[in-house]
Amino acid sequence: MQAIRPLLHDIRDNRLLWLLALVPVVLIAEALKPEAHTLLFILSVLAIVPLAALLSHATESVAARTGDTIGGLLNATLGNLTELIIALTALAAGQYVLVKASIAGAIVTNTLFMLGVSFLLGGLKHRVQEYNRNNARLQAGLLFLATVALLIPSMLAEAESATPEFTQTLSLGLSLLLIASYALSLLFSLGTHREFFGSADHGEGGEPAWPMGLALATLAVVTVLVALVSEVFVESVQQAAVSFGMSAAFVGFIIVAIVGAAAEMASAFSAARKNRLDLSVGIALGSAAQIALFVAPVLVLVSYVVGPAPMDLQFWPGAVVMMLIAAMTAALVTNSGRSAWFVGVLVLMVYIVFAMTLYLLPPRGGQ
Amino acid sequence: MQAIRPLLHDIRDNRLLWLLALVPVVLIAEALKPEAHTLLFILSVLAIVPLAALLSHATESVAARTGDTIGGLLNATLGNLTELIIALTALAAGQYVLVKASIAGAIVTNTLFMLGVSFLLGGLKHRVQEYNRNNARLQAGLLFLATVALLIPSMLAEAESATPEFTQTLSLGLSLLLIASYALSLLFSLGTHREFFGSADHGEGGEPAWPMGLALATLAVVTVLVALVSEVFVESVQQAAVSFGMSAAFVGFIIVAIVGAAAEMASAFSAARKNRLDLSVGIALGSAAQIALFVAPVLVLVSYVVGPAPMDLQFWPGAVVMMLIAAMTAALVTNSGRSAWFVGVLVLMVYIVFAMTLYLLPPRGGQ
Amino acid sequence: MQAIRPLLHDIRDNRLLWLLALVPVVLIAEALKPEAHTLLFILSVLAIVPLAALLSHATESVAARTGDTIGGLLNATLGNLTELIIALTALAAGQYVLVKASIAGAIVTNTLFMLGVSFLLGGLKHRVQEYNRNNARLQAGLLFLATVALLIPSMLAEAESATPEFTQTLSLGLSLLLIASYALSLLFSLGTHREFFGSADHGEGGEPAWPMGLALATLAVVTVLVALVSEVFVESVQQAAVSFGMSAAFVGFIIVAIVGAAAEMASAFSAARKNRLDLSVGIALGSAAQIALFVAPVLVLVSYVVGPAPMDLQFWPGAVVMMLIAAMTAALVTNSGRSAWFVGVLVLMVYIVFAMTLYLLPPRGGQ
């Protein structure tokens, strides 16, 4: 009890966290009334918000004791656990279109929306922000590699009428390449060249950091809760979308991706406002790179065991173009290592162009 | 009379300005012999040259009293008034293909030809030129955003057999987004962060700057004259092109764009030779960005009132590729903030590749 | 005899050079048993290795006396003589598909494989390597220009059903533009701005440099031998590939390109390990640029005299995409002027994605 006192203290002080009461409510409602999709959708969104806030504080506590970049990586890893669990559920049900849409949407949303809002929020509070370019460059390079890898099977399938066997074998090979690249990138950034990825201490100042034990325990427990609530959310979102009049492509790319990354966004936005843009950029691009180089290929490998048939890496051409533009935007924008509010506006506008297109797209177009 | 003495003094000293006598000639010839297309074409080109030179000096006078970047923005705004008037005339006549070709051509020509020749002329006189990267990066970022926005409707229309209603609604939404982005960019560069966009004073030296009143009056009057003569030019150029044996695509993209931007080019080239590359880059990229983010969307909005039917933002795929490559070239080349003559050659060669392709294209291909 | 003593000394000390004995063997075997394709293939690969090593040492000797960049250009020029001779042989036989595949493959392989392995090998020995960005930027800019030029005819041929006459005339015009750009780039880097392209002396230390006369004589003689052996290699490689079960696209793009550039690779890799990354980057990107801006257009011009019909610059769309991605990768990666081992991994992974795709491609797809 002594150990979790800082957590209880935070909950008492922060009214947002009172929404935590909705977590059991949504799980009970799902058990009792699984067909009330619109209600479950609203409840689950409201329940994810305080969980995301807790996750944010816990991650910042760990980050405060380990350095920004490693904290950012931890955050990206744990945040994407949610995405992975959601995708695995859909995979087991054979819903490959949904899996692919959520992968592509998560990459684009993390790269453009999370990065753009971080730059914008940080820039509204701080005139000019500087950050460590090394990490941004590494993540942008990884994203570029992943986009090239995902471009090839889709392009060849369009142009060459390649056989399904070819696409499947190629997807398996590309998945292994991407996982190997990701592992080597961790060896590089956490191992041989770790001192290039640390960031200057910004003195912090905000809320006091929790002790390591409490922070890690909270990370673990809250991650599980996020996963449980996210599942209710995914089950209800398709039906709720229909009743709100949104297209399936918009839901898969935008809504699922934003809610799925809510926890990481809370961390990234809060860090940006505290002038710790290293952490924000690390979370946004690191998370996008992790989904592209780790989550997506792992899903291909797992599909050989779990799903009704193996999944390949052939995406809808529009999704490939959006991922490519997102990776190029990230590379262009992080090149200088400096940011101001308008940089956030620019990145966000690219995202809004995509979101508006998907929102207006006739129903069958996005799949 | 006292007030315009510096203007008269310039006209006496500069023989090029004697061509101003052609301005009334071309307007009278148009009234008397509207069918003499080849003659009107040659007269109007010759009449635009001295107007462009006057505009150049007037703009430099304003720029000398307000700083390079603001002068550059002023120049781009007034220079593009010409483009806007030309496009509005074509819009009212329902010539949407010509409007779109002149928009795309103006973006590509300003980005590649005006920037390339500025680098080349400046580099032939000065060994290495440095310039403020902040403005170049802002304009290149805006251009990139606009290109992405123009890419989407064209790509979807090719690949998805989207309905005309979808394309029209999307074009309207994108137009509003682009105008909002442009307004925010002005707030950023002229408002909240203006000190990042000023440039070191280069001591000037050339011709003495006119007083503010005369400079502004000249800007206004000469802009109107350019618009009048440009209209004669546009009416005659299609017929004259046929008699010279050029394709319609070449005329729309290259000839209209170069003559339409003649005034700004005179300013940009003269600034480059005076080692004020900030001004040159600001005019070239600022003008391209303004056409993409302001002129094009305004034309879409106005088409709901003026034209026979609303205009959309769906371009010929070749035009989209050229705009995309132009934006990428600008981003790559201005990244270092330094220039030498060969940088100009490189940028210009990309333009010549496009111009040669359009020149050789079989007649119906370019539309 | 006195003059070539350093050469004989090297051969005695370096057991790899004993493979030189295979050079006469492969030429005699070709004359006696021209149908033993698999044997000739293996012999010719083994014979090229020591020739490449000799060429490497000779080039480094010249480079040591003239500066890294000029040495790099010399190396690229002489190394690409091999490619030119191979391509001319294929051209005379009317094998345009093979000529184009070897051009595209050489550009992609030099840009990605040679650069990537240089970064990796250098990075495994040196923690962080710095190099002169000016040369890397120039070559990346040239590559970008060439890729744009090669993109246009292929894109228009896909989209517009352009006539063969149009494609042929356009290819001729583009070839002249590319050669002019290349000549101007040499004037720039070796003439007007040569001091920007020299590199700091790294103190050397390795093997002693040969005298200029011996180095130049060795360069000349060994280049001829490489050409002779390469021809045997090309004649045998197609048949050998079939017996090893490789696709034609994989052989043209990957195998021919790697063996054809073996000599330059030996130089580039050895320079990278000696921390002379200026030389490595100069060889890799300079060689790719030279093939794109000099070898390819010269082949088009020569095809009017030598081949059965003129050759155009219309490539397989997949090859164009790969060249475009390779040029973008080079621009992104060399932008910082710094390297560590993981940068090499990233570049190499892009190459492996391409190689794997071509390897798996169904037989008729790659042409």
Side-chain angles (χ1 to χ4, degrees):
Chain A
M1 206 58 199
Q2 190 66 16
I4 65 165
R5 184 164 299 177
L7 174 59
L8 295 176
H9 188 269
D10 274 22
I11 292 178
R12 201 185 53 212
D13 282 4
N14 187 342
R15 296 199 182 172
L16 195 69
L17 295 182
W18 295 7
L19 284 171
L20 282 173
L22 286 178
V23 175
V25 171
V26 72
L27 297 176
I28 292 167
E30 161 77 0
L32 297 180
K33 284 207 146 221
E35 75 288 352
H37 297 298
T38 311
L39 177 73
L40 286 172
F41 173 76
I42 294 169
L43 280 177
S44 59
V45 168
L46 289 176
I48 284 176
V49 174
L51 291 172
L54 267 191
L55 208 47
S56 163
H57 193 172
T59 311
E60 283 182 17
S61 298
V62 178
R65 298 176 190 279
T66 52
D68 280 357
T69 310
I70 298 168
L73 270 170
L74 269 176
N75 204 330
T77 313
L78 297 176
N80 289 328
L81 203 58
T82 316
E83 314 270 355
L84 189 56
I85 293 171
I86 296 172
L88 281 173
T89 317
L91 192 71
Q95 293 203 36
Y96 295 161
V97 170
L98 180 64
V99 175
K100 288 179 184 176
S102 78
I103 289 172
I107 293 172
V108 171
T109 298
N110 289 352
T111 308
L112 297 178
F113 183 78
M114 206 192 296
L115 191 68
V117 174
S118 293
F119 282 158
L120 181 57
L121 289 179
L124 289 178
K125 200 158 175 190
H126 307 277
R127 187 154 184 73
V128 173
Q129 296 185 290
E130 310 254 346
Y131 54 92
N132 182 343
R133 286 195 288 186
N134 289 325
N135 193 33
R137 279 191 173 157
L138 174 66
Q139 306 297 348
L142 287 170
L143 258 184
F144 179 78
L145 167 63
T147 317
V148 169
L150 298 182
L151 169 74
I152 299 291
S154 310
M155 192 190 73
L156 289 175
E158 289 284 303
E160 305 279 324
S161 62
T163 63
E165 292 77 40
F166 163 70
T167 304
Q168 192 55 53
T169 314
L170 182 61
S171 299
L172 186 60
L174 292 175
S175 297
L176 296 173
L177 275 186
L178 289 175
I179 290 176
S181 304
Y182 189 64
L184 288 170
S185 80
L186 294 180
L187 173 63
F188 182 64
S189 62
L190 301 178
T192 67
H193 286 61
R194 77 182 304 162
E195 78 279 15
F196 287 91
F197 296 94
S199 67
D201 197 81
H202 295 265
E204 192 66 5
E207 309 159 65
W210 291 340
M212 198 63 160
L214 173 63
L216 289 176
T218 307
L219 272 180
V221 171
V222 173
T223 298
V224 171
L225 290 177
V226 167
L228 288 174
V229 176
S230 294
E231 233 168 324
V232 178
F233 166 77
V234 166
E235 274 168 36
S236 62
V237 72
Q238 294 280 3
Q239 297 285 340
V242 171
S243 63
F244 290 141
M246 302 175 196
S247 74
F250 183 77
V251 169
F253 264 71
I254 307 293
I255 303 286
V256 171
I258 288 184
V259 176
E264 298 160 279
M265 286 185 192
S267 304
F269 299 161
S270 146
R273 291 187 65 79
K274 287 177 189 156
N275 209 13
R276 303 185 74 186
L277 217 49
D278 293 303
L279 190 53
S280 307
V281 174
I283 294 172
L285 296 188
S287 173
Q290 205 210 17
I291 289 168
L293 285 97
F294 183 70
V295 173
V298 160
L299 287 169
V300 170
L301 299 185
V302 168
S303 75
Y304 281 81
V305 182
V306 166
M311 189 178 84
D312 61 36
L313 287 175
Q314 182 188 331
F315 283 80
W316 172 53
V320 173
V321 169
M322 288 181 189
M323 287 191 277
L324 195 59
I325 290 174
M328 282 173 60
T329 307
L332 283 177
V333 150
T334 58
N335 193 36
S336 70
R338 296 203 308 166
S339 171
W341 67 267
F342 189 72
V343 179
V345 169
L346 259 187
V347 175
L348 215 44
M349 282 290 177
V350 175
Y351 186 70
I352 296 175
V353 167
F354 293 166
M356 178 187 282
T357 306
L358 291 171
Y359 187 80
L360 295 174
L361 214 59
R364 51 151 221 85
Q367 310 296 352
Chain B
M1 206 57 201
Q2 191 67 16
I4 64 165
R5 183 162 300 175
L7 173 58
L8 296 176
H9 188 270
D10 274 22
I11 292 178
R12 201 186 55 214
D13 283 4
N14 185 344
R15 298 201 180 168
L16 194 68
L17 295 181
W18 296 6
L19 284 171
L20 282 173
L22 286 178
V23 175
V25 171
V26 72
L27 297 176
I28 292 167
E30 161 75 1
L32 297 180
K33 282 208 148 222
E35 75 288 353
H37 296 298
T38 311
L39 177 73
L40 286 173
F41 173 77
I42 293 168
L43 281 177
S44 59
V45 168
L46 289 176
I48 284 176
V49 174
L51 291 171
L54 269 190
L55 208 48
S56 163
H57 193 172
T59 311
E60 283 181 17
S61 298
V62 179
R65 298 177 191 279
T66 53
D68 280 357
T69 310
I70 298 169
L73 270 170
L74 268 176
N75 204 330
T77 313
L78 297 176
N80 289 328
L81 204 57
T82 316
E83 315 270 355
L84 188 57
I85 293 171
I86 296 173
L88 280 172
T89 316
L91 191 70
Q95 293 203 34
Y96 295 162
V97 170
L98 180 64
V99 175
K100 287 179 184 176
S102 78
I103 289 172
I107 293 172
V108 171
T109 299
N110 289 353
T111 307
L112 297 178
F113 183 78
M114 205 191 295
L115 192 68
V117 174
S118 293
F119 283 158
L120 181 57
L121 288 180
L124 289 177
K125 200 159 175 188
H126 307 276
R127 187 155 183 73
V128 173
Q129 296 184 290
E130 311 254 345
Y131 55 93
N132 182 342
R133 285 194 289 186
N134 290 324
N135 194 33
R137 279 191 173 159
L138 174 66
Q139 306 297 348
L142 287 169
L143 258 184
F144 179 77
L145 167 64
T147 318
V148 169
L150 298 180
L151 169 74
I152 299 290
S154 310
M155 192 190 72
L156 289 175
E158 288 284 305
E160 305 279 322
S161 62
T163 63
E165 293 76 41
F166 163 70
T167 304
Q168 193 55 51
T169 314
L170 182 61
S171 299
L172 186 59
L174 293 175
S175 297
L176 296 174
L177 274 187
L178 289 175
I179 291 176
S181 305
Y182 189 64
L184 288 171
S185 80
L186 294 181
L187 174 63
F188 182 65
S189 62
L190 302 177
T192 66
H193 285 62
R194 77 183 303 161
E195 78 277 16
F196 287 91
F197 297 94
S199 67
D201 197 83
H202 295 264
E204 193 62 5
E207 308 159 64
W210 291 339
M212 197 63 161
L214 173 63
L216 289 177
T218 308
L219 272 181
V221 172
V222 173
T223 299
V224 172
L225 290 177
V226 167
L228 287 173
V229 177
S230 295
E231 232 168 324
V232 179
F233 166 76
V234 167
E235 274 168 35
S236 62
V237 73
Q238 294 279 2
Q239 296 285 337
V242 172
S243 64
F244 290 142
M246 300 177 200
S247 75
F250 184 77
V251 169
F253 264 71
I254 307 294
I255 303 287
V256 172
I258 287 183
V259 176
E264 299 162 278
M265 286 184 192
S267 304
F269 300 162
S270 147
R273 292 188 65 79
K274 287 176 188 155
N275 208 12
R276 304 185 73 187
L277 217 48
D278 293 303
L279 190 52
S280 307
V281 174
I283 294 172
L285 297 188
S287 174
Q290 205 210 17
I291 289 169
L293 283 96
F294 183 70
V295 173
V298 160
L299 288 170
V300 170
L301 298 184
V302 168
S303 75
Y304 280 83
V305 182
V306 167
M311 189 178 84
D312 61 35
L313 288 175
Q314 182 187 331
F315 284 80
W316 172 53
V320 173
V321 169
M322 288 181 190
M323 288 190 277
L324 195 59
I325 290 174
M328 282 172 60
T329 307
L332 283 177
V333 149
T334 58
N335 193 36
S336 70
R338 295 203 309 166
S339 172
W341 67 266
F342 189 72
V343 178
V345 169
L346 259 187
V347 175
L348 215 45
M349 282 289 177
V350 175
Y351 186 71
I352 297 175
V353 166
F354 292 166
M356 177 187 282
T357 306
L358 291 171
Y359 187 80
L360 295 175
L361 214 59
R364 50 150 222 88
Q367 310 297 348
Chain C
M1 205 58 199
Q2 189 68 15
I4 65 165
R5 184 163 300 174
L7 174 60
L8 296 176
H9 188 269
D10 275 21
I11 292 177
R12 201 186 53 213
D13 283 3
N14 186 343
R15 296 197 181 174
L16 195 69
L17 296 181
W18 294 7
L19 285 170
L20 282 174
L22 286 178
V23 176
V25 171
V26 72
L27 296 176
I28 292 166
E30 161 77 359
L32 298 180
K33 284 209 146 216
E35 75 288 350
H37 297 297
T38 311
L39 178 72
L40 285 172
F41 173 77
I42 293 169
L43 281 178
S44 59
V45 168
L46 289 176
I48 283 176
V49 174
L51 291 171
L54 267 190
L55 208 48
S56 163
H57 193 171
T59 311
E60 283 182 16
S61 297
V62 178
R65 298 176 191 280
T66 53
D68 280 357
T69 310
I70 299 169
L73 270 170
L74 268 176
N75 204 328
T77 314
L78 297 176
N80 289 328
L81 205 56
T82 317
E83 315 269 355
L84 189 57
I85 294 171
I86 296 173
L88 281 173
T89 316
L91 192 70
Q95 293 202 34
Y96 295 162
V97 169
L98 180 65
V99 175
K100 288 180 184 177
S102 78
I103 289 172
I107 293 172
V108 172
T109 298
N110 288 354
T111 307
L112 297 178
F113 183 78
M114 206 192 295
L115 191 67
V117 174
S118 294
F119 283 158
L120 181 57
L121 289 180
L124 289 178
K125 198 157 175 189
H126 307 277
R127 186 152 184 74
V128 173
Q129 296 185 291
E130 310 255 345
Y131 56 92
N132 183 343
R133 285 195 288 186
N134 290 324
N135 193 34
R137 279 192 172 157
L138 174 66
Q139 306 297 347
L142 287 170
L143 258 184
F144 179 77
L145 168 63
T147 317
V148 169
L150 298 181
L151 168 74
I152 300 290
S154 310
M155 193 190 70
L156 289 175
E158 289 284 304
E160 306 279 322
S161 62
T163 63
E165 292 78 40
F166 163 70
T167 303
Q168 192 56 51
T169 314
L170 182 61
S171 299
L172 185 60
L174 292 175
S175 298
L176 296 174
L177 274 186
L178 288 176
I179 291 175
S181 304
Y182 190 64
L184 288 170
S185 79
L186 294 180
L187 173 63
F188 182 65
S189 61
L190 301 178
T192 67
H193 286 63
R194 77 182 303 161
E195 78 278 14
F196 287 91
F197 296 95
S199 67
D201 196 82
H202 295 264
E204 192 65 4
E207 309 159 65
W210 291 340
M212 197 63 159
L214 173 62
L216 288 176
T218 307
L219 272 180
V221 171
V222 172
T223 298
V224 171
L225 290 177
V226 167
L228 287 174
V229 176
S230 294
E231 234 169 324
V232 178
F233 166 77
V234 166
E235 274 168 36
S236 61
V237 73
Q238 293 279 2
Q239 297 285 340
V242 171
S243 63
F244 290 141
M246 300 178 200
S247 74
F250 183 77
V251 169
F253 264 72
I254 307 294
I255 303 287
V256 170
I258 288 184
V259 176
E264 298 161 278
M265 286 185 194
S267 305
F269 299 161
S270 146
R273 292 187 65 79
K274 287 177 189 156
N275 208 12
R276 304 186 73 187
L277 217 49
D278 292 303
L279 190 52
S280 307
V281 173
I283 295 172
L285 296 188
S287 174
Q290 204 209 18
I291 289 168
L293 283 96
F294 183 70
V295 173
V298 160
L299 288 170
V300 170
L301 298 185
V302 168
S303 76
Y304 281 82
V305 183
V306 166
M311 188 178 84
D312 61 35
L313 287 176
Q314 182 188 331
F315 283 80
W316 173 53
V320 173
V321 170
M322 287 181 190
M323 287 190 278
L324 197 59
I325 290 174
M328 282 172 59
T329 306
L332 283 177
V333 149
T334 59
N335 193 35
S336 70
R338 297 203 307 168
S339 172
W341 66 267
F342 189 73
V343 179
V345 169
L346 259 187
V347 175
L348 215 45
M349 282 289 177
V350 175
Y351 187 70
I352 297 175
V353 167
F354 293 166
M356 177 188 283
T357 306
L358 291 170
Y359 186 80
L360 295 175
L361 215 59
R364 52 152 220 84
Q367 310 297 350

